[in-house]
């Protein structure tokens, strides 16, 4: 049975060994230009987490930011009844833990959806270095601002799009992210469950499953359990609503997805 207890950084280091990244490598992961700082202090340790393990929990004292080097995670809010609200699906190149800065405790929980390798960015170390290296401080502000923009894009999508369009944009964004990581953009495995996708998109499990089945039926994607094949990315990008189920079989594939009249920006990330 997978552990669901928070994993200490020391325990992670013992499993992982002594793997470190320099500042240039961290900048590369975050898709930032390199910073011209030569210092032996600027080495950042990695820690590994197994599928199902928590990276940090709600209310845990904040001391660390994390950059995803490999693997897939989810960040969630949990209400008093134990219900989860998925906030994001961090993957390679994403920064986690920013929500802990304000109150000095993490306001969300991060859970590994696969075996993960994370780069640790001690916050005190970053702020100390930022006082003497303005370039580094500006870099961190830029990354945090990017996270805020992504959250705003998500809120805008939930308010503006139909259920079918939300699922379509989600698949397109995943396709783009896999392409950026060097994987196939046309065939990939979903690391998250349909319930988790629904929580993220503000939809029920049944709606997500029904929509994926409808996309498969009209030839926009292929579905084999968690394996998704993208067949018509342009139709997914422009999809507004699906036609009624009784008329789908009579329509050619391109006509089955109603195009939007106005361009809706895709999420920059999950």
């Amino acid at each position: 049975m997978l552990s669901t207890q928070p994993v200490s950084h020391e325990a992670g280091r013992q499993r992982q060994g002594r793997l470190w990244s320099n500042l240039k490598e961290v900048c590369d992961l975050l898709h930032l230009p390199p910073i011209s700082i030569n210092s032996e202090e600027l080495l950042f340790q990695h820690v590994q987490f197994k599928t199902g393990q928590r990276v940090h929990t709600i209310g845990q004292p904040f001391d660390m930011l994390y950059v995803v080097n490999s693997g897939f995670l989810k960040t969630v809010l949990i209400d008093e009844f134990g219900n989860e609200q998925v906030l994001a699906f961090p993957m390679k190149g994403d920064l986690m833990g920013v929500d802990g800065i304000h109150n000095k405790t993490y306001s969300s929980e991060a859970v590994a959806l696969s075996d993960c390798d994370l780069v640790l960015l001690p916050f005190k170390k970053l702020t100390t270095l930022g006082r003497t290296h303005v370039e580094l401080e500006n870099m961190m502000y830029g990354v945090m601002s990017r996270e805020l923009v992504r959250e705003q894009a998500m809120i805008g999508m939930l308010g503006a799009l139909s259920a079918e369009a939300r699922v379509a944009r989600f698949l397109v964004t995943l396709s783009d992210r896999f392409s950026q990581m060097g994987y196939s953009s046309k065939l990939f495995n979903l690391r998250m469950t349909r319930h988790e996708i629904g929580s993220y998109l503000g939809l029920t499990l049944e709606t997500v499953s029904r929509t994926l089945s409808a996309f498969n039926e009209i030839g926009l994607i292929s579905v084999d359990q968690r394996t998704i094949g993208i067949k018509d990315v342009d139709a997914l990008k422009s999809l507004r609503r699906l036609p009624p189920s009784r008329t789908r079989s009579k329509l050619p594939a391109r006509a089955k997805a109603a195009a939007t009249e106005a361009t809706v920006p895709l999420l920059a990330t999950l």
Side-chain angles (χ1 to χ4, degrees), residues 208-221:
V208 173
S209 297
R210 185 171 60 249
T211 302
L212 290 175
S213 296
F215 288 173
N216 179 73
E217 176 189 348
I218 64 178
L220 300 183
I221 65 173

Side-chain angles (χ1 to χ4, degrees), residues 174-185:
L174 267 185
S175 174
D176 289 343
R177 291 301 303 275
F178 277 109
S179 177
Q180 292 167 13
M181 292 187 290
Y183 301 120
S184 171
S185 63

Side-chain angles (χ1 to χ4, degrees), residues 23-35:
L23 184 59
K24 180 184 182 305
E25 291 166 334
V26 172
C27 288
D28 288 343
L29 267 177
L30 291 170
H31 307 292
L32 295 169
I35 297 176

Side-chain angles (χ1 to χ4, degrees), residues 23 26 30 54 96-97 126 144 152 174 180 184 194 197 203 211 229 233 247 260:
L23 184 59
V26 172
L30 291 170
R54 289 176 170 85
M96 301 194 312
L126 289 177
M144 293 175 193
Q152 291 173 337
L174 267 185
Q180 292 167 13
S184 171
R194 283 154 174 71
I197 294 171
L203 304 172
T211 302
V233 69
T247 64
T260 56

Side-chain angles (χ1 to χ4, degrees), residues 9-18 45-47 64 120:
H9 298 147
E10 289 301 327
R13 289 176 187 137
Q14 290 170 10
R15 289 195 309 275
Q16 167 63 16
R18 305 292 291 180
Q45 192 168 8
H46 291 230
V47 63
M64 197 76 61
L120 305 179

Side-chain angles (χ1 to χ4, degrees), residues 212-236:
L212 290 175
S213 296
F215 288 173
N216 179 73
E217 176 189 348
I218 64 178
L220 300 183
I221 65 173
S222 63
V223 181
D224 182 6
Q225 296 184 355
R226 288 200 182 190
T227 302
I228 300 293
I230 303 294
K231 293 186 174 182
D232 194 337
V233 69
D234 291 334
L236 288 172

